[in-house]
Amino acid sequence: MVTVDADALSQVLSTVDLRVGVARRTSLPAGALLPIPHDMITLVYIAEGSVHGHPPLGDGCRLDVDPGSRRLTIDPQGHRDRLVAGDAFLMLGGSPFALEAEEAASLMVVDLELADAASQLRAVLPEFITVTGFDALEPAAAALAENMGLVDPTTCPVRQGDPLICRMMATTVLLSLIRAWAANGCAPQGWPSLSNDPFLDRVVEAIHEEPGRDWTVERLAGVSAMSRSTFAERFRNAVGRSPADYVTEVRVDAAKRMLDAGRPVSEISRELGYASDEGFSRAFRRRTGMTPSSWRMAHRTPVPA
């Protein structure tokens, strides 16, 4: 079994910040197909019945739990394409894919959109994650998954507070699914690593731990134990952006969470290392197209009348 460093796993999971988490319950008669969008992240929980993939899910680690004994069996080269009630499936996009109902099935489908910094999950996770027996491994998260979407949205108006609640529930289920997959032996050797370079991983971890620090290229190079020029080139090649751009991305995502929590713009600006509120607002606007105050207003959840 491949063991995963708990701190490294927590670091990856701590970056997960959903912009959108919209759930819907889908009923499929036997033989019906459910296309999965290839340009977004989709989480599927099998509430009833069974499904299989088109193309087949292929090779991949499977976690099977006997509900009676709660005994866990891990097959790192699992070939079981059939998913049944209680199983969960995460598709990170990239290839056309569809699920076909083998018998009448009820699925909870959640379309997810990650915030910028959390998009690094696409770099460190495989194209799909399957956790069979998710309901036995993570019963609380499975209960959330089963009750996230309306059976028939046309007959039950969505309450004003539902988008925020759904996003929080979707985050919980997503984190539980990734943790179950990783902590129970399905992660590849060396996972999680954004860069596949332990020296650069130190840098990424340091930025997330202290986003407000004065992260010059020289200081980051020191963390990586490399020269300035070598570090800058290796970081860009591994992560796909410059160190400065990555620092800004992490800061802006941290700012969004702070704005959601109701913290003042001036306080956020100081904590994230900006010399002035104006400098913070400019950086935030370049990244999001909105000022911090405008972003807060646009993402504020209305209070039901």
Side-chain angles (χ1 to χ4, degrees):
M1 176 188 296
V2 175
T3 58
V4 175
D5 182 88
D7 291 337
L9 176 58
S10 296
Q11 179 66 46
V12 168
L13 297 184
S14 71
T15 69
V16 175
D17 181 21
L18 296 187
R19 283 196 183 126
V20 180
V22 180
R24 62 187 185 278
R25 181 181 284 270
T26 300
S27 296
L28 296 177
L33 288 172
L34 175 68
I36 303 296
H38 68 276
D39 57 348
M40 66 189 310
I41 297 175
T42 305
L43 190 156
V44 178
Y45 178 77
I46 317 302
E48 299 175 10
S50 61
V51 297
H52 63 267
H54 287 285
L57 292 173
D59 295 345
C61 185
R62 299 288 187 270
L63 306 177
D64 286 292
V65 181
D66 184 332
S69 64
R70 295 185 61 82
R71 181 179 178 183
L72 175 66
T73 302
I74 301 171
D75 180 4
Q77 298 298 324
H79 297 278
R80 182 159 82 85
D81 182 51
R82 185 171 182 263
L83 301 178
V84 301
D87 293 348
F89 172 74
L90 179 67
M91 184 75 179
L92 277 85
S95 302
F97 185 77
L99 292 172
E100 179 180 352
E102 296 183 346
E103 55 184 294
S106 178
L107 312 178
M108 191 60 63
V109 183
V110 190
D111 298 323
L112 306 173
E113 182 181 342
L114 297 175
D116 290 339
S119 63
Q120 71 180 49
L121 281 178
R122 290 182 182 270
V124 298
L125 290 175
E127 186 175 2
F128 64 85
I129 289 176
T130 303
V131 177
T132 51
F134 181 66
D135 56 344
L137 280 171
E138 298 285 347
L144 278 180
E146 190 162 357
N147 293 282
M148 282 176 58
L150 298 170
V151 175
D152 183 359
T154 62
T155 65
C156 182
V158 178
R159 297 187 304 275
Q160 287 181 314
D162 276 356
L164 176 60
I165 294 171
C166 187
R167 188 176 70 189
M168 294 170 64
M169 293 171 70
T171 300
T172 299
V173 176
L174 175 62
L175 296 183
S176 298
L177 179 66
I178 296 172
R179 182 175 290 279
W181 172 82
N184 287 291
C186 278
Q189 188 69 44
W191 192 90
S193 171
L194 175 63
S195 64
N196 292 317
D197 184 326
F199 296 98
L200 293 182
D201 284 345
R202 287 186 206 162
V203 174
V204 171
E205 182 178 354
I207 293 170
H208 281 274
E209 286 183 350
E210 297 182 87
R213 191 172 180 182
D214 181 18
W215 288 120
T216 62
V217 175
E218 289 79 8
R219 180 164 288 163
L220 291 169
V223 173
S224 69
M226 301 179 199
S227 70
R228 183 184 187 280
S229 58
T230 299
F231 162 72
E233 181 179 0
R234 282 174 64 171
F235 190 94
R236 182 181 288 276
N237 289 339
V239 181
R241 70 209 79 174
S242 70
D245 191 51
Y246 187 78
V247 169
T248 299
E249 184 177 280
V250 172
R251 286 179 173 177
V252 169
D253 276 348
K256 291 174 184 176
R257 292 190 291 272
M258 295 178 189
L259 290 167
D260 277 343
R263 295 179 60 180
V265 170
S266 293
E267 181 181 305
I268 296 172
S269 173
R270 289 193 301 273
E271 184 166 331
L272 293 179
Y274 290 94
S276 66
D277 293 356
E278 291 76 15
F280 165 57
S281 294
R282 283 196 299 271
F284 191 93
R285 186 167 188 170
R286 280 196 299 269
R287 181 70 58 175
T288 66
M290 306 173 73
T291 66
S293 297
S294 298
W295 192 92
R296 191 205 304 273
M297 290 296 295
H299 291 78
R300 178 175 294 168
T301 302
V303 177

